Amino acid sequence: MVKNYDTVFMNKPNTTAANILFYGCKDLGFSPYGDYWRQIRKLCALELLSARSVQTFQFVREEEVDAIIRKIHEAAVNGDVVDLTKMLMASRVIDEHKEKEAIDEKKDFISIILQLQKDGLDLTQGNIKAIILDMFAGGTETTSTTAEWAMSELLKKPDVLKKVEQDVRKVAKNKQKIDLNDLNEMKYLKCVIKETLRLHPPVVFLVRRGTSEAVKLGNYDIPPDTTVFINVWAIQRDPTWWENPEEFIPERFENSRVHFKGQDFQFIPFGCGRRDCPGMPFAIASLEYLVANLLFRFDWKLGDGETTETLDLIENYGLTVNKTLRVMPTIFHPST
């Protein structure tokens, strides 16, 4: 569908909720395909979510992860059980606020908005708020939800947990702080993140699409203005594409060219085609940094008498796919 008919399926049907939340669907996710969408897509991709911006916003990640680590450290000292779900959800709200403050201070972004307004693009204050809300609400939701699922799957499989801990700690060694360059060397961590996104994509269905004209897809004649849902959860567990699809096996991505960048249609947690998520680099950098720090700073075991056999990985459905995880952290002391 996306490979051959991407432009036909690029519209986004309006909903009452989207109109209310995003100032009449003026955000990137729900705005109709056309000149306005192309302009704000370019704005977000080049100024908010580019590789350069990923570096620029690193201080926001560091501050927020440091805050989480301090809370977990205090709990570890006291021997307390940590509600990791609640902690990550609380941090997500703070994270969104800090990111928006950082954007307000980003002079290049503001100057480009002003120029686009002079050129006639309808970028009111409400439109700008809609764009920012869309980008960073989605990005932080991805980070917190996926980090929780990664930790859940690792605690379910202690051998995998041990392997990824060794991967992270071998690279970080006795460092006080993990940086983005370190993440590039943590090869098995990247496999863990990919496998988590495969089994537990942040959303079951991509944001719905609509056809702009009639199209024949396989044996089906699809009329214009048809709403289309793409079931990512089912695609990424399809045994046609995946061996033992229900199993958490990060090794499947070792020496594999399959990636979540939208070119491999069996693995599309961030969507595909021209309406994929431009926030992917930002979300992945945040996710890898958070999980790497959790694994580097602490040893983990299940809390409240939970065992690997009793740990429930059944998903609860809402805006994203989530669960509840209570854990017992122990401070990791690297050998000198």
Side-chain angles (χ1 to χ4, degrees):
M1 180 187 88
V2 176
K3 183 177 181 180
N4 298 317
Y5 304 105
D6 192 27
T7 56
V8 176
F9 289 88
M10 286 187 70
N11 278 341
K12 292 295 181 79
N14 287 351
T15 66
T16 301
N19 274 313
I20 294 172
L21 288 173
F22 298 112
Y23 298 84
C25 292
K26 293 297 185 180
D27 65 312
L28 183 59
F30 287 94
S31 61
Y33 177 64
D35 289 340
Y36 174 83
W37 177 83
R38 281 190 290 268
Q39 288 275 27
I40 62 173
R41 166 82 184 198
K42 182 178 179 181
L43 171 67
C44 292
L46 295 180
E47 295 302 322
L48 286 182
L49 302 166
S50 64
R52 178 169 58 88
S53 292
V54 169
Q55 292 279 354
T56 300
F57 288 105
Q58 176 63 13
F59 78 95
V60 178
R61 295 185 204 95
E62 291 177 355
E63 288 182 5
E64 185 51 35
V65 170
D66 286 347
I68 294 173
I69 296 300
R70 285 195 297 271
K71 292 177 183 178
I72 297 175
H73 187 279
E74 181 180 353
V77 169
N78 296 329
D80 295 336
V81 172
V82 172
D83 187 335
L84 198 57
T85 301
K86 186 176 181 180
M87 185 176 293
L88 292 175
M89 288 184 67
S91 72
R92 185 183 72 212
V93 176
I94 299 171
D95 204 30
E96 290 175 12
H97 178 68
K98 288 181 178 178
E99 286 158 357
K100 289 172 187 175
E101 285 184 340
I103 289 172
D104 289 339
E105 297 173 1
K106 201 170 188 295
K107 295 180 181 179
D108 291 343
F109 176 66
I110 294 172
S111 65
I112 289 175
I113 287 177
L114 294 175
Q115 184 59 51
L116 288 173
Q117 288 174 325
K118 289 179 181 179
D119 293 342
L121 186 64
D122 182 20
L123 275 176
T124 65
Q125 185 176 6
N127 295 358
I128 296 168
K129 287 180 179 179
I131 295 167
I132 294 173
L133 175 63
D134 185 16
M135 287 297 93
F136 291 105
T140 50
E141 184 84 7
T142 300
T143 301
S144 60
T145 303
T146 309
E148 183 185 352
W149 276 115
M151 295 302 296
S152 299
E153 290 286 1
L154 291 172
L155 284 162
K156 188 77 171 176
K157 286 197 169 183
D159 56 331
V160 179
L161 174 58
K162 186 67 174 178
K163 185 174 179 179
V164 72
E165 283 176 344
Q166 291 173 346
D167 179 53
V168 170
R169 293 169 183 178
K170 180 180 178 180
V171 174
K173 295 181 181 177
N174 296 324
K175 287 187 175 182
Q176 293 298 314
K177 184 173 293 187
I178 295 172
D179 60 38
L180 291 179
N181 290 328
D182 292 329
L183 297 177
N184 292 330
E185 301 300 318
M186 298 176 182
K187 304 301 184 184
Y188 191 66
L189 172 67
K190 291 183 179 294
C191 293
V192 167
I193 297 299
K194 285 182 178 180
E195 181 69 341
T196 303
L197 287 167
R198 183 191 70 82
L199 270 179
H200 307 286
V203 293
V204 175
F205 296 97
L206 298 180
V207 176
R208 64 183 188 170
R209 298 192 181 197
T211 53
S212 58
E213 60 185 69
V215 62
K216 187 175 184 64
L217 190 63
N219 295 322
Y220 297 93
D221 293 309
I222 303 175
D225 300 319
T226 298
T227 299
V228 178
F229 293 91
I230 300 176
N231 189 334
V232 178
W233 190 93
I235 290 171
Q236 297 182 171
R237 293 178 181 234
D238 187 342
T240 303
W241 295 103
W242 305 97
E243 186 177 353
N244 299 319
E246 302 296 328
E247 292 292 319
F248 183 77
I249 309 173
E251 285 78 8
R252 74 172 79 242
F253 287 104
E254 290 182 330
N255 303 314
S256 171
R257 294 186 178 182
V258 175
H259 211 289
F260 45 65
K261 295 182 179 180
Q263 302 302 313
D264 301 294
F265 299 123
Q266 71 270 38
F267 188 32
I268 51 171
F270 296 99
C272 51
R274 277 177 259 188
R275 295 211 73 149
D276 65 352
C277 177
M280 178 186 64
F282 189 94
I284 290 299
S286 301
L287 176 60
E288 290 180 346
Y289 186 73
L290 172 57
V291 175
N293 274 277
L294 292 176
L295 296 172
F296 178 55
R297 303 293 178 182
F298 305 98
D299 291 319
W300 299 88
K301 64 179 181 179
L302 293 166
D304 296 339
E306 193 89 72
T307 67
T308 57
E309 289 75 23
T310 61
L311 177 61
D312 184 4
L313 294 184
I314 295 176
E315 295 145 328
N316 300 315
Y317 295 96
L319 178 60
T320 58
V321 184
N322 55 75
K323 67 178 307 298
T324 299
L325 180 64
R326 292 176 61 80
V327 291
M328 178 76 76
T330 303
I331 301 168
F332 169 68
H333 297 285
S335 58
T336 56

